Amino acid sequence: MGIYQDFGLKQIINASGKMTALGASAVHPEVAKALSDASMDYVDIHELMLAAGKIIATVTGAEDGCPTSGAAGGIAISVAAVIAGTHLTRIEKLPFSDGLKNEIVIQKGHAIHFGASITQMISLGGGKVVEVGQANHVEKKHIMEAINEQTAAIFYVKSHHAVQKGMQSLETMISIAKEYQIPIIVDAAAEEDLRKYIAMGADLVIYSGGKAIEGPTSGFICGRASLIEACRAQYKGIGRAMKVGKEAIVGLLTALRRYGFKEDLSQEQRRRMLWLIEQIKDINGIEGSIVQDEAGRDIYRAQLKIDSKVLGMSAHELIRRLEEGNPAIYTRNHYANIGIINIDPRPLLPGQEQLIVKRIKEIVEETYEHSI
């Protein structure tokens, strides 16, 4: 029994990934202790924010950093910062930004839904979203033609949710931003490399603290000192509604300090997924294989292709029955509409792949018995 079962909730096996809907990450005991210790004491929040910025800067190679409630809050705050700066009257008017330089240029294939609309997060910061090109094709000229005297920033999304083909590269977007002397904001919420995008020349980079970093529900922005100062200033405006508490900041900083010493488990996770595929290879109607993460990260998932005519149930039906069990098994279902289910090994606790195999076999057997 776990803490959530004490409140009457069913146990979850998370084979979906570090997803907000399932609580993102299970933190290391050292991070959990930091959260607990911080919650039982007091601190000057402004001083804590400044200290956090220095640690974030050290870890990322940026000039400064700003903790946030999450990556989504980081988007709104970053956009607000490039529009209002540290001008208090402007800060207090946001998200109403009429009369200000407020246009945010984004490739159409990056105007994604990540559990919420990314364009809505930009709008919360006062940004007027300018989508350029087509959903699967953007040319450099599309971006350049969209830039005018009202352009506040270019926004780039590095995510498996974003269209991966036909978009302009981050290198191209950065070069355009430099040419026109406007900031470029990179949403790298779930990315694992905390130094790459700053080194490439991005002005502001947004990360989730609860995904690759395996911290608590939190996030941070890193980048140019003047823009980070403006990010912190937004806590006197729209940032107040998405403020991050002392516990989350300390938990985030503890996770960041641990991050560089994390063991690379990608090959071990791949081995576990190969084992899973081997165990179900004799089930008619399910074809297993190993696939790498869509965004190119060193993540290897088990992909199950469901032939509904042979198996006797669709991918959606198998998903439903996995989720209805106790423990409930949540898989990665972005391609369920074409009969594909993915199993992400990263959040699985030891031995849980065995429980997944066992439950799939039970469901298949139940389906077979009912068809006789």
Side-chain angles (χ1 to χ4, degrees):
M1 291 286 288
I3 185 68
Y4 296 111
Q5 286 67 65
D6 291 344
F7 290 95
L9 301 170
K10 61 186 176 183
Q11 183 184 356
I12 299 293
I13 292 178
N14 178 8
S16 179
K18 297 177 181 181
M19 313 297 281
T20 299
L22 296 176
S25 295
V27 303
H28 187 275
E30 184 181 342
V31 176
K33 183 178 185 303
L35 284 161
S36 176
D37 290 348
S39 70
M40 294 186 288
D41 206 346
Y42 298 95
V43 68
D44 183 311
I45 295 295
H46 179 67
E47 289 185 359
L48 177 59
M49 293 284 284
L50 293 175
K54 292 178 181 177
I55 293 172
I56 292 168
T58 299
V59 172
T60 62
E63 293 178 4
D64 202 352
C66 176
T68 64
S69 58
I75 293 170
I77 288 172
S78 295
V79 169
V82 298
I83 292 172
T86 58
H87 193 288
L88 184 57
T89 302
R90 292 175 182 173
I91 289 169
E92 291 178 342
K93 285 182 178 179
L94 294 181
F96 305 105
S97 60
D98 290 350
L100 301 177
K101 185 184 291 189
N102 64 357
E103 292 186 2
I104 307 296
V105 176
I106 185 172
Q107 300 184 81
K108 190 174 287 291
H110 286 192
I112 60 171
H113 191 281
F114 60 94
S117 165
I118 204 162
T119 57
Q120 185 179 36
M121 300 305 107
I122 292 171
S123 298
L124 285 173
K128 180 181 177 182
V129 178
V130 179
E131 295 182 24
V132 300
Q134 310 306 319
N136 64 342
H137 181 77
V138 178
E139 296 188 20
K140 184 176 180 180
K141 197 171 183 182
H142 282 131
I143 300 157
M144 296 172 71
E145 288 175 349
I147 296 172
N148 58 53
E149 64 278 0
Q150 289 301 111
T151 304
I154 295 174
F155 198 94
Y156 186 92
V157 180
K158 179 63 177 174
S159 168
H160 67 276
H161 291 297
V163 174
Q164 302 298 320
K165 65 176 184 178
M167 298 295 105
Q168 290 297 307
S169 68
L170 179 55
E171 289 88 347
T172 297
M173 300 288 272
I174 290 173
S175 71
I176 294 171
K178 300 305 180 190
E179 180 181 347
Y180 285 87
Q181 296 185 317
I182 53 177
I184 181 164
I185 302 169
V186 178
D187 173 13
E191 288 298 292
E192 298 177 335
D193 192 328
L194 304 185
R195 303 181 73 88
K196 177 178 179 179
Y197 306 109
I198 288 295
M200 289 175 67
D203 296 290
L204 290 174
V205 185
I206 303 156
Y207 289 94
S208 168
K211 293 185 177 176
I213 297 163
E214 297 183 351
T217 300
S218 60
F220 65 88
I221 310 162
C222 57
R224 282 174 27 208
S226 59
L227 288 175
I228 292 296
E229 182 184 3
C231 288
R232 283 193 292 266
Q234 305 313 308
Y235 282 108
K236 292 185 177 180
I238 60 127
R240 182 70 177 187
M242 52 193 80
K243 64 184 179 183
V244 57
K246 59 187 180 182
E247 304 89 350
I249 295 174
V250 170
L252 169 66
L253 298 182
T254 304
L256 283 172
R257 281 177 166 170
R258 294 190 69 256
Y259 191 69
F261 303 99
K262 278 179 59 180
E263 182 182 0
D264 180 3
L265 299 175
S266 59
Q267 293 307 310
E268 168 63 15
Q269 292 164 356
R270 186 174 186 274
R271 185 195 63 76
R272 292 169 72 188
M273 293 299 95
L274 284 169
W275 177 89
L276 183 148
I277 290 168
E278 178 68 20
Q279 302 308 304
I280 62 172
K281 69 178 183 180
D282 294 329
I283 299 177
N284 291 329
I286 302 181
E287 179 186 345
S289 62
I290 296 293
V291 295
Q292 189 174 0
D293 177 67
E294 303 97 316
R297 294 175 294 175
D298 205 15
I299 300 167
Y300 300 91
R301 303 184 179 98
Q303 182 177 93
L304 309 182
K305 291 184 179 180
I306 310 301
D307 186 330
S308 58
K309 292 180 181 179
V310 176
L311 189 63
M313 76 181 93
S314 68
H316 285 292
E317 175 66 10
L318 178 56
I319 290 164
R320 182 185 67 80
R321 293 173 70 174
L322 286 169
E323 292 180 0
E324 285 180 349
N326 192 7
I329 299 170
Y330 283 82
T331 51
R332 193 175 185 90
N333 306 322
H334 301 308
Y335 301 106
N337 62 308
I338 56 173
I340 293 175
I341 299 171
N342 286 317
I343 296 174
D344 193 318
R346 294 173 300 159
L348 291 179
L349 301 179
Q352 287 187 334
E353 66 271 24
Q354 298 170 27
L355 297 177
I356 293 171
V357 168
K358 179 175 181 290
R359 183 59 185 142
I360 289 175
K361 288 182 175 179
E362 287 174 351
I363 292 171
V364 170
E365 182 64 27
E366 290 165 5
T367 302
Y368 174 74
E369 290 175 354
H370 282 120
S371 67
I372 297 175

